[in-house]
Amino acid sequence: MMAVNCTLQILLLLLFILLSPVAITAGATDTFGKGQNVTDGETLVSAGGTFTLGFFSPGASAKRYLGIWFSVSSDAVCWVANRDHPLKDTSGVLLVASDTGDLLLLDGSGEVAWSSNSPNTSSVEAQLLESGNLVVHDQRSKTILWQSFDHPSNTLLPGMKMGKNLWTGDEWYLTSWRSPDDPSPGSYRRVLEYATRLPEVVLWQQDAKAYRTGPWNGRWFNGVPEASTYAHDFPLDVTASKSEITYGYTARPGAPLTRVVVTDAGVVRRLVWDASSLAWKTFFQGPRDVCDAYGKCGAFGLCDASAASSAFCGCLQGFNPASPPAWYMRETSGGCRRNVPLNCGGNETATDGFVLVRGVKLPDTQNASVDMSISTEECRDRCFANCSCLAYASAEIREGGGGSGCIIWTGDLVDLRYVDRGQDLYLRLAGPEIGMKTMTVNLIFQYISSLALGDSFKG
Ligand SMILES: *[C@@H]1O[C@H](CO)[C@@H](O)[C@H](O)[C@H]1NC(C)=O
Ligand SMILES: *[C@@H]1O[C@H](CO)[C@@H](O)[C@H](O)[C@H]1NC(C)=O
Ligand SMILES: *[C@@H]1O[C@H](CO)[C@@H](O)[C@H](O)[C@H]1NC(C)=O
Ligand SMILES: *[C@@H]1O[C@H](CO)[C@@H](O)[C@H](O)[C@H]1NC(C)=O
Ligand SMILES: *[C@@H]1O[C@H](CO)[C@@H](O)[C@H](O)[C@H]1NC(C)=O
């Protein structure tokens, strides 16, 4: 009885394998090993058909690159092997080196244009997984020796990570293409910053910050509240442990295709494939407006994207433009200066207090100190007791309001803006400034306008 049952099951299994198109293509086209190769014009297709690996020419370029793209959208290239070493013609070939087991991209003359530098192992094969990850693994143990997800280009796919493995020292970040015709590394890098162990994602243009998401608040990056609208399909995954500090995301089964890409122009986009219109839809784009330009309003400035009348920049309560003429000329990056010095000595005449700045993308946390283990009330006490503390905020927000943890700023507050569903920042001010309203900036604008331009200003 047992044996009959078993045989039946095996038969059914065989039938299933024979009839299933997925199983057949899986064996046939997503994998290759020693003695096999992929030449220009041939492709490797992942088991479910989502991703294709092959040779392509980007944009108007005639040069050839080896890459991985979405099968439904061949210009959506998400990984490029030979970014810096294009091939001149279609004589390239991808193969597994018979001696080292490296994945090698050779040009027509047999020169190596790119190599995976995977550990020397005799029995390896390469496989394009349904996630878009190209892996080199040991044929017997299936141990992964190398994977393209560890070497991101300009695209973050579900299952990839940005950040750092603290044990191996491996770091993952995205780099833009140089132009739509040239996948070599361009001037933008998207990096997970983790010095405070409170991660935030920063877009760098060479050595300058161009745009930051704001710190992780336990649910989304503080300056990207949009994420809460697609977190159901694409849950964000931030880990800060002893072994890694990383950010990535996954895709719920059945969710549409998605990718996060850093364009050559320095724009970060989350794109989602709309299968009915056969087009990528933008779910998030950053920087999204003038206030996302890093440090737009300088130190202690506060950007308001809806305030065209004050050219978007204002100063925090208790501060005024460091240079009013420069502010009038929309040179706001010089920031704001404190009106009344803090009076922090801890004696009974000390009158410092805190004012609440509501609904903001928190200032750059690069030089902040973070303590996840204390409450926001303890944070206030800690800030009040320390004369170098200029502001504090909760590090984590909770369902239904409130927060926990503690971020303390002791230096300039840079890159503050109003944002939907933003966080509360508590700003230290001298007693006389508390309770005063921030009318001063607009008054200065009106004053300078009338002085400098009289009636000649026609907009
Ligand atoms: C690629 O594989 C084909 C067919 O197996 C073979 O004829 C050709 O010589 C191989 N090319 C290289 C460069 O190994
Ligand atoms: C790779 O390993 C093989 C067998 O262990 C050895 O013969 C070969 O020299 C090694 N190659 C390199 C480049 O280390
Ligand atoms: C208390 O603080 C005030 C204002 O900073 C200062 O003038 C005064 O000397 C301080 N008194 C003592 C006893 O430290
Ligand atoms: C953090 O400190 C460094 C070194 O003093 C400084 O160069 C940098 O501008 C500071 N960052 C912020 C956001 O204030
Ligand atoms: C004040 O806070 C700063 C930053 O957190 C810290 O480096 C410094 O030691 C603190 N000072 C005192 C007296 O606690």
Side-chain angles (χ1 to χ4, degrees), residues 63-82:
K63 293 172 178 163
R64 302 298 282 170
Y65 295 86
L66 179 79
I68 297 171
W69 57 85
F70 284 87
S71 304
V72 290
S73 169
S74 62
D75 51 2
V77 174
C78 38
W79 182 75
V80 183
N82 54 323

Side-chain angles (χ1 to χ4, degrees), residues 166 192-202 209 212 214-217 221 238-241 245 362-373 395 406-410:
L166 300 173
L192 187 77
E193 302 289 337
Y194 51 81
T196 60
R197 295 191 62 83
L198 185 66
E200 67 173 297
V201 185
V202 174
K209 290 181 184 177
R212 45 186 280 282
W216 177 248
N217 66 18
F221 289 100
V238 170
T239 307
S241 69
I245 299 193
L362 295 175
D364 195 330
T365 58
Q366 183 185 1
N367 301 325
S369 34
V370 175
D371 186 342
M372 301 302 288
S373 72
C406 179
I407 312 176
I408 278 180
W409 284 267
T410 53

